Amino acid sequence: MRNWTRRGLLPAAALLALALPVSSGLVPSSTAHAAPRVTTPEQFFGFTLGSEGRLARWADMVRYYKLVADRSERVLYQEIGKTATGKPFPVLTVSSPANLAKLDRIKQINRRLADPRGLTEAQARKLAAEGRPVYLLEAAIHSTEVGTAQVIPNILHRLVDEKSTTVTEILDNIVLLIIPAQSPDGTEWVGDYFHQTAGTTYARTYPDLYQKYIGHDDNRDWFMFTQPETKLSVALQNDWKPQVVQNLHQMGSGGARIFIPPYLSPNDPNIDPITVQQTNSLGMEMSRSLTAEGKKGVTWGSTYDYWTPSRQYMTYHGAPRILVEAASARDLAYTYTSSNGGPIGPQQPDTNFIEPYDQSSWSLAQIVDYLDTTVFAGLSNVAKYRAEWLFNFYRTQRNAVNPGAGKPYGYIVPADQRDPFATYELLTVLRTGEVEIEQATAPFTANGKRYDAGSWIIRYAQPYGRFAKTLLEVQHYPDLREYPGGPPQSPYDVTAQTLPMLLGVRVDTVAQPFSASTTQIRTVRPASPPFPAQPGARGAYLVGPESYGTAMFIAALQKAGVRTLRASAEFSSGGRAHAPGTLIVEPTAEARAALREVSRKTGVPVHAVGQAPRVAAERLKDGTRIGLYRGINNIPGGWMKWLFEQYGIGFTEVVADDFTGDLNAKYDTIVLPAGISRNDLVAGLNRDRYPAEWSWAYGVGEAGWAELRRFVEDGGTLLAIGDSVATARQLANLPITPALPSDEHEFYSPGSILSQRFDTSDPVAWGMRPDTPVWFGENDQAYTVSAGDVVSSFPESGEQLQSGWLIGGEHLNGKANVVKHRVGAGLIVTFGSEPTFRTWSRDPSKLLFNAIYHGPSTSVQPSAVPAALLGG
């Protein structure tokens, strides 16, 4: 058991200082021998949480949580790790003192119920009677949804101070885990900015990403586990095995006042039916409580679906996800008023919208009040039926380990993979999700196919086989319409997440049982290929282009100042055939050290030859200067920044001030991530609405726009991703025309994986398989090309959809995706779809990295390769 913080957290003098902020003017009362009183939120913060135009700051909220934990025997405070900026990530544990004294036993029971193999039903009932359900409450996931953070001190105080039978039953029968801010950094930034702009004409809402890298996408990370906050929350769930997870959110201001499950169709079929019904019943209990209290405007079965694991890790681990979305106020903390003076939101009652909201205003205080009601309704239900909740948890897990007919026996990841780094990352994702993985110790046969020793086996009949299945299988999203023959019913997020396609890993589905000699894999490690001997003074190191980890080799070699070439054609050397794009690296000590380290991290092999090959090649520019345009609140750019940092790519963020000088003097390649329009570049952030600290986003003006054009014409490389292709088209009058209908009746791809054909001889497509599938989202586009080099396109005919949902795929037939354009002395590469979408799409990320280094490179003839490599 970890060290928990409760009594003894701070010395008495520090506690006295913490009891009330100096600004409140209030002083705590105490006597020499009385037990310390738990300060109310109103006393501590100096105002009622939810008050008009007032927000408690994150730093003060943390101080309050520490104070309550020190004063109450019902609360434990713990910092379980660090955020993306290195700040504490706190968790509160709330229950009766008796339960807090036996947390290890409660965890032990939950873990046994989570893996019921060998557990009889009678034993499970006995454990359910003894145990306590764990209820995880997550707030401030999206930092501008401020009511979700403001309600937590009120909830906490009521639980520690109220003597009612309701609270007593909750504390006696539940262990409540509270993540008071899933994004502590953003909660601090948003709150502090709100206070800094008080009394000014500036906008009150923090304008940029409120998580260091990915902003609003911080809850789209629940199967790739890229961010530290995600990893901490997942580790907490893995540790405690909660029976319920409630996520507090806010939505738009003008619709219903609050959304609660049941969800809109569809449900992912990999979520256990019991979990779905528990979600529905607990959501309806919350709706009942809201209506009973006179809180109107409650909706269910609208907007939000139960489909993608990117937002709901817990559902594949036996716990319902209770998404609560309250309507937002104005400017975070000010009353929202309808524009026409009438009631806010829809006024037509329906089965899933029993009682329309009948007022013309909506406040932060109401948000806090509505959220509070949902939390206590959920806690009360689970407390009242605690044994039933635990036993149903056991039933979902029993279904997992005894799946019955119609399910696959399992999955095999063959040992002989094209990309060992991708294989390592896929297996790491599965193990992070507690999926059991076996590795064959001898060759075996399954489905009539022979597999080598070292192949990995994931059997479906295991506690978290459902999580493996939803990540490894093809998604078949139903064709749902608003009405028969009508437009598509939009999924809330995306429709596909097939990891083997996104990462480029071969995974075979096996229907029937088979026998194999295996060992259990506890920790996934990269492959460890032998590292070659030093190749000699006239030799070279060789690294193939097949892995997306090749970008890490290039980055490390650039950092070490090592001369590096890429073969422009296939060649044979050292008894092997080497594909176009193979790295040819000078045989220095610096090169050896860099290559060895990256090979160790990725498992990608390095080869050595005694004589540098004579093959047409491109010499990469030493120290290629890479610029990533920083758009304000630009989520795709944030994901790309994270990816660049993970891969060690040396880059600089390009901001407005850079356009006042010579861009070619600063950068060789500039990347425009998706979501950057001409107006974003030229006009930028309104300088009258945001203070000077945001001047980097004020816009480049028409002069800056012209400078970007000149940058390309004078030899620079510009990469435009997704809907930013339209910006590049305007900049250089590119000879490409959007090919897809704008009518969703005719064409619709809401985040799917589609077929593609690559010209693998083109430097931008080096290392790609000819038919690598690509991600394609709602804002992506395909093109008709009248000039330029088409690097990739959609098949001329046939099935375009690989996974997800697609309407009108025939409009893609033969249309271009990735295109190279010569503009003056420079190069523009346009990517119709995002090759690095949320970093889920990793195999196609090679396209981006290839293009980054290809533009500034120089051609080398075969006879000159050894000399160019060796500095001759």
Side-chain angles (χ1 to χ4, degrees):
M1 180 171 160
R2 294 192 176 105
N3 292 324
W4 298 89
T5 304
R6 191 173 67 195
R7 296 194 177 277
L9 174 72
L10 294 169
L15 281 174
L16 185 61
L18 275 177
L20 295 168
V22 173
S23 61
S24 72
L26 300 174
V27 179
S29 60
S30 63
T31 62
H33 303 290
R37 178 174 177 270
V38 179
T39 306
T40 68
E42 185 174 4
Q43 290 172 323
F44 185 86
F45 296 104
F47 60 92
T48 301
L49 295 180
S51 295
E52 182 81 0
R54 304 292 298 273
L55 290 178
R57 296 197 193 203
W58 174 243
D60 288 338
M61 286 191 279
V62 171
R63 293 167 62 206
Y64 183 70
Y65 300 143
K66 291 179 178 179
L67 175 66
V68 173
D70 193 83
R71 295 286 182 89
S72 173
E73 294 184 345
R74 300 175 176 184
V75 179
L76 304 173
Y77 176 95
Q78 184 188 18
E79 293 174 355
I80 64 172
K82 301 294 184 183
T83 68
T85 66
K87 295 176 182 175
F89 188 93
V91 172
L92 300 163
T93 305
V94 187
S95 195
S96 68
N99 288 337
L100 294 180
K102 58 179 182 181
L103 290 179
D104 285 344
R105 176 56 180 164
I106 291 170
K107 282 186 186 180
Q108 183 184 44
I109 291 171
N110 273 12
R111 290 170 181 169
R112 188 66 187 97
L113 295 174
D115 183 1
R117 288 171 290 195
L119 188 68
T120 67
E121 185 167 311
Q123 290 170 330
R125 286 193 181 278
K126 185 176 180 180
L127 289 173
E130 179 188 355
R132 297 293 183 272
V134 174
Y135 194 115
L136 173 59
L137 177 64
E138 294 181 299
I141 297 168
H142 295 146
S143 305
T144 51
E145 297 166 10
V146 293
T148 70
Q150 301 294 302
V151 73
I152 297 300
N154 290 348
I155 292 170
L156 183 65
H157 183 264
R158 181 179 172 188
L159 289 170
V160 301
D161 197 62
E162 188 175 301
K163 303 302 189 291
S164 68
T165 55
T166 297
V167 166
T168 299
E169 185 175 47
I170 289 171
L171 294 171
D172 286 346
N173 292 333
I174 286 179
V175 173
L176 172 63
L177 303 177
I178 303 176
I179 297 177
Q182 175 66 27
S183 180
D185 295 338
T187 304
E188 179 178 330
W189 299 336
V190 167
D192 287 356
Y193 183 81
F194 181 82
H195 282 82
Q196 291 161 11
T197 54
T200 72
T201 59
Y202 292 130
R204 305 301 304 281
T205 302
Y206 185 77
D208 204 11
L209 298 173
Y210 44 71
Q211 193 272 354
K212 180 179 179 181
Y213 297 105
I214 61 176
H216 193 81
D217 271 359
D218 63 352
N219 72 330
R220 309 297 196 270
D221 190 37
W222 289 92
F223 66 79
M224 288 301 280
F225 314 121
T226 67
Q227 303 303 304
E229 295 90 344
T230 309
K231 294 175 183 176
L232 290 169
S233 183
V234 166
L236 191 74
Q237 292 179 56
N238 291 348
D239 187 30
W240 284 90
K241 313 290 190 232
Q243 279 64 54
V244 178
V245 179
Q246 182 175 355
N247 294 161
L248 300 183
H249 282 271
Q250 288 174 215
M251 55 185 179
S253 302
R257 296 301 83 197
I258 194 166
F259 166 87
I260 295 169
Y263 293 99
L264 185 68
S265 292
N267 298 320
D268 183 349
N270 295 303
I271 303 173
D272 189 276
I274 296 174
T275 302
V276 174
Q277 294 288 24
Q278 287 181 310
T279 306
N280 297 344
S281 64
L282 194 56
M284 294 307 291
E285 175 64 18
M286 294 177 179
S287 295
R288 184 203 62 76
S289 294
L290 287 162
T291 300
E293 293 179 8
K295 295 180 171 70
K296 301 177 181 180
V298 181
T299 187
W300 56 269
S302 63
T303 307
Y304 305 96
D305 58 42
Y306 219 12
W307 181 259
T308 172
S310 66
R311 293 181 292 116
Q312 50 197 35
Y313 173 84
M314 64 293 295
T315 60
Y316 307 94
H317 293 71
R321 181 201 184 209
I322 308 299
L323 171 66
V324 174
E325 294 264 2
S328 293
R330 177 179 62 85
D331 290 338
L332 302 182
Y334 292 91
T335 297
Y336 172 82
T337 303
S338 64
S339 58
N340 61 8
I344 301 173
Q347 295 299 301
Q348 179 63 46
D350 206 338
T351 303
N352 66 338
F353 189 61
I354 297 295
E355 198 171 19
Y357 186 69
D358 56 6
Q359 302 298 310
S360 62
S361 63
W362 176 254
S363 67
L364 179 60
Q366 289 173 284
I367 296 171
V368 169
D369 194 22
Y370 272 55
L371 292 174
D372 182 273
T373 295
T374 69
V375 171
F376 278 95
L379 292 172
S380 296
N381 179 276
V382 176
K384 187 178 295 294
Y385 302 106
R386 68 171 181 83
E388 184 177 336
W389 274 93
L390 283 168
F391 190 70
N392 279 333
F393 178 69
Y394 154 76
R395 283 170 164 157
T396 67
Q397 297 307 98
R398 184 180 62 184
N399 291 345
V401 299
N402 299 288
K407 298 295 190 292
Y409 180 74
Y411 303 89
I412 298 174
V413 182
D416 57 330
Q417 294 286 335
R418 189 172 188 268
D419 186 348
F421 183 47
T423 307
Y424 164 69
E425 292 207 311
L426 181 143
L427 295 171
T428 298
V429 164
L430 295 176
R431 278 302 298 144
T432 302
E434 296 201 299
V435 173
E436 295 171 355
I437 302 174
E438 302 167 56
Q439 190 166 27
T441 56
F444 65 97
T445 299
N447 268 13
K449 181 178 178 180
R450 186 181 185 279
Y451 293 91
D452 293 336
S455 296
W456 296 271
I457 299 167
I458 298 105
R459 302 183 198 272
Y460 181 69
Q462 58 164 297
Y464 308 115
R466 293 171 296 216
F467 186 62
K469 184 171 179 287
T470 203
L471 296 184
L472 298 178
E473 70 181 358
V474 171
Q475 276 70 58
H476 300 284
Y477 194 88
D479 187 10
L480 297 174
R481 307 290 177 137
E482 296 287 352
Y483 50 86
Q489 174 189 293
S490 298
Y492 183 67
D493 192 32
V494 300
T495 64
Q497 67 270 349
T498 309
L499 275 190
M501 293 182 183
L502 294 170
L503 273 62
V505 180
R506 287 187 297 116
V507 178
D508 296 336
T509 303
V510 180
Q512 301 300 323
F514 61 90
S515 297
S517 176
T518 67
T519 185
Q520 197 81 20
I521 299 297
R522 303 296 179 188
T523 302
V524 178
R525 294 184 175 84
S528 53
F531 198 78
Q534 214 281 342
R538 306 303 299 174
Y541 293 104
L542 306 176
V543 180
E546 294 81 8
S547 173
Y548 55 78
T550 302
M552 298 171 67
F553 283 97
I554 296 174
L557 294 167
Q558 292 253 314
K559 185 176 180 180
V562 174
R563 281 184 289 265
T564 306
L565 281 68
R566 299 195 75 175
S568 298
E570 185 177 355
F571 68 96
S572 296
S573 186
R576 293 183 178 87
H578 299 274
T582 294
L583 303 186
I584 307 172
V585 184
E586 65 174 327
T588 62
E590 293 80 7
R592 185 175 183 82
L595 292 169
R596 185 193 289 273
E597 177 63 15
V598 178
S599 181
R600 183 188 65 80
K601 291 179 179 178
T602 62
V604 174
V606 176
H607 304 289
V609 291
Q611 180 63 49
R614 293 178 178 270
V615 59
E618 289 185 350
R619 176 168 174 174
L620 303 188
K621 182 176 182 180
D622 295 338
T624 303
R625 299 167 305 166
I626 302 165
L628 175 61
Y629 183 77
R630 185 182 181 189
I632 193 77
N633 200 28
N634 180 257
I635 296 173
W639 279 110
M640 203 171 290
K641 177 181 178 180
W642 178 85
L643 189 65
F644 281 14
E645 290 185 7
Q646 294 300 302
Y647 287 6
I649 306 296
F651 74 100
T652 302
E653 290 186 301
V654 182
V655 296
D657 289 346
D658 290 325
F659 290 77
T660 60
D662 181 2
L663 284 172
N664 297 88
K666 302 174 184 177
Y667 303 106
D668 299 308
T669 298
I670 293 176
V671 181
L672 288 184
I676 304 298
S677 68
R678 185 187 191 280
N679 187 66
D680 292 331
L681 277 166
V682 174
L685 206 61
N686 185 339
R687 65 186 64 230
D688 295 329
R689 297 286 288 148
Y690 296 92
E693 65 183 283
W694 303 103
S695 62
W696 59 267
Y698 280 170
V700 305
E702 293 296 338
W705 178 255
E707 172 59 24
L708 184 60
R709 169 74 187 235
R710 193 198 62 76
F711 164 77
V712 177
E713 291 176 337
D714 287 359
T717 296
L718 179 68
L719 311 184
I721 314 296
D723 55 359
S724 291
V725 172
T727 308
R729 286 180 63 227
Q730 291 175 280
L731 179 75
N733 194 26
L734 298 179
I736 57 176
T737 305
L740 301 178
S742 58
D743 188 340
E744 292 181 348
H745 285 82
E746 297 183 58
F747 181 85
Y748 189 55
S749 177
S752 303
I753 303 173
L754 306 185
S755 302
Q756 196 79 167
R757 297 292 179 266
F758 286 93
D759 176 3
T760 57
S761 67
D762 190 289
V764 174
W766 280 341
M768 301 295 289
R769 288 167 288 130
D771 58 353
T772 304
V774 297
W775 182 268
F776 203 89
E778 285 190 71
N779 296 322
D780 293 339
Q781 182 61 261
Y783 294 90
T784 300
V785 178
S786 57
D789 299 328
V790 176
V791 177
S792 81
S793 59
F794 298 89
E796 290 286 349
S797 63
E799 180 60 60
Q800 301 290 358
L801 180 64
Q802 294 286 314
S803 185
W805 187 22
L806 179 66
I807 296 172
E810 67 275 8
H811 293 287
L812 293 165
N813 291 354
K815 300 302 187 291
N817 183 1
V818 182
V819 186
K820 286 194 321 187
H821 315 264
R822 284 291 169 189
V823 179
L827 181 70
I828 295 179
V829 184
T830 55
F831 300 80
S833 64
E834 288 189 64
T836 57
F837 178 78
R838 290 181 183 165
T839 75
W840 302 356
S841 179
R842 296 200 179 176
D843 193 18
S845 71
K846 288 180 290 212
L847 298 164
L848 177 69
F849 296 120
N850 286 343
I852 283 172
Y853 294 105
H854 163 63
S857 67
T858 54
S859 297
V860 178
Q861 295 302 311
S863 59
V865 165
L869 184 67
L870 303 172

